[in-house]
Amino acid sequence: MPISAIDTLEGDRLGTKPLRYTDLFLKGRGRDMMTSEDMAILEDSVGDVLDIPARKIVVRRDERVRASTLLLEGVMCRYMDDRQGNRQIVAFHVPGDFVDLHGFAMRYLDHDIATLTPVRVAAVGHERLETIVQNRPRLTRLLWFSTLLDAAMHREWVFRLGRLEADGRVAHLFCELHARLTLVDMVRDGAFRFPVTQIDLAEAAGITPVHLNRVLRSLRERELMTFRSGEVRILDPEGLETLADFDPNYLFGGGPTMSEKGA
């Protein structure tokens, strides 16, 4: 069933609040620049925490957005449909990502946001973000940096779809996921969980599921990587990066440059 045909889900409210919801936000990419007070303020800004099943629309395009979503567990995506209902995934989101932080400034999104797996998310109301913007310039800059990371990844996705052949596109996608999940300590010995379907991957790579299957078989036979039952194993990182023309600098693993002055 196309994801666009699934009803929006409100989510099940959780009764208890764990100690930390925001530990993975900007982990490896600037979190160390947050003061303990910044961390506490961001943590206290979390309102509802929701468990949402797979294949549910969380935010519909052109609907008023009043809270931004921090992904705690699972995989989400942004996508757009053409007039025939064919979906193009334009971003994958992994734990630690503020999925729709740009909705704070834009108020409406030009795309849909949905879950691909069961997820847990934390909602930060825009009134809380407004307070942060007014009173916490350093934290505001880091939140802004988070939205700029999204823009950098979108540019790289445009490059991938426009300039790489199918095997390079898929290799680049898995190189990016490997790098992003490494930053949040979710890669072990070159392997990580990414339990999406081959249809999802095909819609992100701009190819058919049949073509995607051939590409995955080719990458496996060349001993570059494997994708089985939602587990990715990178066998030859350098070979995969060469095929993908992958340079991780656009992920800003070192975080932003911020001085005390004006921070």
Side-chain angles (χ1 to χ4, degrees), residues 191-252:
F192 56 91
R193 292 286 298 163
F194 195 67
V196 303
T197 69
Q198 290 194 16
I199 293 175
D200 298 327
L201 294 172
E203 290 175 343
I207 57 179
T208 67
V210 172
H211 198 176
L212 187 278
N213 187 269
R214 293 194 193 107
V215 170
L216 291 175
R217 183 173 64 247
S218 173
L219 296 176
R220 181 177 66 249
E221 291 173 348
R222 292 151 75 178
E223 298 184 344
L224 295 175
M225 60 156 287
T226 62
F227 176 70
R228 293 192 183 96
S229 301
E231 180 175 275
V232 180
R233 184 169 295 276
I234 308 299
L235 305 174
D236 180 358
E238 291 185 3
L240 196 67
E241 289 181 2
T242 298
L243 175 62
D245 197 10
F246 181 73
D247 181 344
N249 285 340
Y250 72 96
L251 297 173
F252 290 85

Side-chain angles (χ1 to χ4, degrees), residues 142-161:
L142 288 169
L143 292 169
W144 183 21
F145 173 69
S146 175
T147 65
L148 296 178
L149 283 174
D150 285 340
M153 285 189 281
H154 277 301
R155 287 190 291 272
E156 198 71 13
W157 278 50
V158 171
F159 162 77
R160 176 166 69 224
L161 291 173

Side-chain angles (χ1 to χ4, degrees), residues 21 78 251:
Y21 293 128
R78 302 183 202 178
L251 297 173

Side-chain angles (χ1 to χ4, degrees), residues 21 116-117 128:
Y21 293 128
L116 294 177
T117 70
R128 303 302 298 270

Side-chain angles (χ1 to χ4, degrees), residues 175-208:
C175 284
E176 178 181 289
L177 290 169
H178 179 267
R180 291 169 66 188
L181 288 168
T182 295
L183 289 169
V184 292
D185 295 330
M186 292 186 176
V187 176
R188 295 292 180 272
D189 299 322
F192 56 91
R193 292 286 298 163
F194 195 67
V196 303
T197 69
Q198 290 194 16
I199 293 175
D200 298 327
L201 294 172
E203 290 175 343
I207 57 179
T208 67

Side-chain angles (χ1 to χ4, degrees), residues 16-239:
T16 59
K17 185 176 180 179
L19 180 62
R20 301 300 272 178
Y21 293 128
T22 57
D23 280 345
L24 295 183
F25 175 62
L26 290 183
K27 186 176 176 64
R29 288 190 280 184
R31 182 173 181 80
D32 57 338
M33 299 176 188
M34 295 172 63
T35 66
S36 57
E37 188 175 1
D38 287 337
M39 294 179 188
I41 288 172
L42 185 60
E43 183 75 15
D44 289 343
S45 296
V46 171
D48 292 337
V49 176
L50 308 175
D51 280 331
I52 306 177
R55 310 287 160 178
K56 298 296 180 181
I57 298 175
V58 178
V59 181
R60 293 184 185 274
R61 64 179 299 173
D62 297 330
E63 286 188 353
R64 182 69 163 85
V65 182
R66 301 184 185 280
S68 291
T69 305
L70 177 63
L71 180 56
L72 307 179
E73 300 173 12
V75 180
M76 299 178 70
C77 73
R78 302 183 202 178
Y79 72 95
M80 303 176 75
D81 290 322
D82 65 16
R83 292 180 180 177
Q84 289 72 46
N86 299 307
R87 183 179 67 168
Q88 175 69 48
I89 291 179
V90 297
F92 284 126
H93 285 288
V94 299
D97 287 355
F98 244 124
V99 178
D100 53 354
L101 187 57
H102 52 298
F104 169 59
M106 299 173 72
R107 300 302 190 236
Y108 302 89
L109 301 185
D110 58 356
H111 55 277
D112 295 308
I113 295 175
T115 64
L116 294 177
T117 70
V119 304
R120 176 169 292 187
V121 300
V124 178
H126 287 174
E127 72 283 355
R128 303 302 298 270
L129 290 175
E130 185 66 42
T131 299
I132 290 174
V133 168
Q134 292 177 3
N135 299 293
R136 306 297 300 184
R138 173 177 288 271
L139 182 54
T140 296
R141 287 180 64 187
L142 288 169
L143 292 169
W144 183 21
F145 173 69
S146 175
T147 65
L148 296 178
L149 283 174
D150 285 340
M153 285 189 281
H154 277 301
R155 287 190 291 272
E156 198 71 13
W157 278 50
V158 171
F159 162 77
R160 176 166 69 224
L161 291 173
R163 289 300 178 186
L164 299 181
E165 299 297 330
D167 57 351
R169 295 181 193 181
V170 176
H172 192 288
L173 176 59
F174 282 112
C175 284
E176 178 181 289
L177 290 169
H178 179 267
R180 291 169 66 188
L181 288 168
T182 295
L183 289 169
V184 292
D185 295 330
M186 292 186 176
V187 176
R188 295 292 180 272
D189 299 322
F192 56 91
R193 292 286 298 163
F194 195 67
V196 303
T197 69
Q198 290 194 16
I199 293 175
D200 298 327
L201 294 172
E203 290 175 343
I207 57 179
T208 67
V210 172
H211 198 176
L212 187 278
N213 187 269
R214 293 194 193 107
V215 170
L216 291 175
R217 183 173 64 247
S218 173
L219 296 176
R220 181 177 66 249
E221 291 173 348
R222 292 151 75 178
E223 298 184 344
L224 295 175
M225 60 156 287
T226 62
F227 176 70
R228 293 192 183 96
S229 301
E231 180 175 275
V232 180
R233 184 169 295 276
I234 308 299
L235 305 174
D236 180 358
E238 291 185 3

